[in-house]
Structures are given as C-alpha cells and as structure tokens.
Amino acid sequence: MSDELRKQSLPLLRQELTLAESPTATDGSPAWTLYDPAVHRFYQLSWPAFEILSRWSLGTAEAIVAAVRRDTTLNIDVEDVQASMQFLIAHQLVYGSDSATTQRLLGAQQRTRVSTAMWLLQHYLFIRIPLFRPMPLLRRLLPYTQWIYRTSFWKITIVAAITGLYLASRHWEEFVHTFRDYAGWQGLLGIAVALSFAKVLHEFGHALTAYRYGCQVPTMGVALLVMWPVLYTDTNEA
C-alpha cells in the first residue's frame, strides 16, 4: 500500500480552506488551525500535519515526504501523508471527481442523519436561529467606534461608575423608593425595553471587538436555551 501511495496523485485541497497559526500545543510544539468556511468549522493541526498540508500542492506523497525532510527537522513517512489524506477525505476538505468519492460523501451524510425526534432531543437545550449577517454593518461601524477601545474611555467610565455609586449612597432611601415606580405594568415594560436594548448593545460589543481583532462574525440572532429566547453572536472564530 505504501509503494502505491508513494507515487499516487493526491486529491486536490479545496481552494477556500485557510491555514492560520495557533497558540502552541501543550508539549510546546507549534500548532496551526485549518478553517473550512463552507461549514464554519475549525481543525487544529499538529506541526507535522501543517508541514504536510502546506506542501500538498506537490501532488504525491513521495514529493511531500522528501520536501518536509529537506526543509524541516521532522522525519515523516508516507504513512503520515496517508493519515492526513484520510483526515481530509473524512471531513470533505478535498475535491471529489469520481463516483467513489460521491458514494463516500453520501454514505457519510446518511450516517450523520438523525430522526426528527432525535434531533429535537439533542437540540432542545440550545437552538440557534440566525437572523442577521452583521459583517457589512461592522465594517461601517468600526471606524466610528475606535474610541471605545481607548484607555481614556475606560478611565472615564470607571470614574463615572464610582461617582454614581457615591451619589446614590448619599441619597440611598430616596434611591430605593424609586423602585416602587416599577411595580406596575408600565414600569415592567420599561425595564424589559431597557434590558433588551442593553442586550443588543452587549451583543454588538462582542461582534465589534471580534471583528476589530480580525475575526469574522457570520451571524447574529436568537438562541433558545431550553426554549427560553436569548440573543447570541457567533464569535466561534475567536
């Protein structure tokens, strides 16, 4: 099998895949992340896997092994390339141009398909309903929100918070009595509106910060936590 694979043409990697450096592994070795934008999924790669994939365009396992041994201190073999190829095929990260690949993909889809009842059982604790793709808005907003990330803004915010607490403590009884105004339905409605607005700002804070540091934010929407609706922002790329 190794002799056949050594000169066999390797399947082509999908062009939209991207590689990015990750924090080092627990043993101190370098690590990388492979990103599949089609399903918004990330795969962490070891150093040997990264060196193999970065030379995948050489076309054969023999050429990849020779290049990695020449350019690095790694001593990989054809079996390492084969393991990488099996990983790529299993996760649909390569192009498929023959009937065998098509059948393999259909088989993988059938194995992952579950009944409606099982899907509800698995997802009732957390269901995401995407409502909005925020990237165009984030691009427009970012230049106008840079002041939020300055040290001076946070210093002013801390001073304002301490001042507010101090002033409230000096008129504590009067402050506590204002809560009676929220006992009726109008007060409760006002609280609900205020909290909803604050939650929207909170989620945009996540989105703007993630985008500012180079991450994509594909969706924002509503998540159902045991059927209780809450807003969410997809910052998985962080």
Side-chain angles (χ1 to χ4, degrees):
M1 179 64 182
S2 296
D3 292 336
E4 294 178 5
L5 180 65
R6 190 178 299 276
K7 296 184 181 298
Q8 175 187 345
S9 295
L10 299 173
L12 296 176
L13 284 175
R14 286 170 34 210
Q15 293 182 354
E16 68 272 23
L17 302 177
T18 58
L19 279 170
E21 191 171 357
S22 297
T24 56
T26 54
D27 61 358
S29 62
W32 284 263
T33 298
L34 178 66
Y35 174 51
D36 182 359
V39 293
H40 194 49
R41 187 172 295 166
F42 300 85
Y43 305 94
Q44 187 160 8
L45 304 177
S46 64
W47 180 22
F50 166 77
E51 298 294 348
I52 290 172
L53 292 186
S54 63
R55 294 168 175 80
W56 200 260
S57 60
L58 295 176
T60 64
E62 185 178 41
I64 291 175
V65 169
V68 172
R69 290 181 175 180
R70 181 186 66 244
D71 300 336
T72 73
T73 58
L74 293 170
N75 186 27
I76 68 167
D77 52 31
V78 174
E79 282 70 23
D80 295 315
V81 179
Q82 182 182 11
S84 296
M85 183 175 70
Q86 291 173 345
F87 165 79
L88 295 170
I89 292 174
H91 293 87
Q92 294 88 51
L93 300 174
V94 294
Y95 286 113
S97 58
D98 54 21
S99 59
T101 303
T102 302
Q103 292 301 320
R104 184 170 54 249
L105 293 175
L106 289 174
Q109 183 185 30
Q110 291 293 334
R111 289 191 297 272
T112 57
R113 183 176 295 173
V114 296
S115 65
T116 302
M118 183 59 67
W119 186 91
L120 290 173
L121 181 63
Q122 293 174 349
H123 292 82
Y124 86 100
L125 291 176
F126 188 71
I127 301 174
R128 284 186 174 185
I129 305 173
L131 300 176
F132 176 53
R133 297 185 179 277
M135 288 299 295
L137 180 60
L138 296 178
R139 293 188 188 98
R140 291 195 296 267
L141 286 178
L142 189 63
Y144 303 103
T145 56
Q146 293 296 330
W147 54 273
I148 296 175
Y149 302 95
R150 294 173 183 165
T151 304
S152 56
F153 169 76
W154 293 105
K155 289 180 179 178
I156 293 173
T157 301
I158 293 172
V159 171
I162 294 174
T163 303
L165 290 173
Y166 170 73
L167 294 176
S169 67
R170 295 199 56 184
H171 303 276
W172 187 252
E173 292 297 328
E174 183 179 349
F175 172 69
V176 172
H177 288 164
T178 60
F179 293 141
R180 297 175 182 175
D181 298 334
Y182 299 108
W185 68 269
Q186 291 179 326
L188 294 176
L189 179 62
I191 291 176
V193 171
L195 289 177
S196 298
F197 181 70
K199 181 60 176 172
V200 170
L201 290 181
H202 177 86
E203 294 303 321
F204 268 100
H206 285 308
L208 281 167
T209 302
Y211 178 65
R212 183 175 188 266
Y213 287 99
C215 299
Q216 299 292 307
V217 184
T219 60
M220 298 175 71
V222 176
L224 301 178
L225 297 176
V226 196
M227 307 315 293
W228 182 264
V230 295
L231 297 180
Y232 83 92
T233 302
D234 186 350
T235 56
N236 286 334
E237 192 167 326

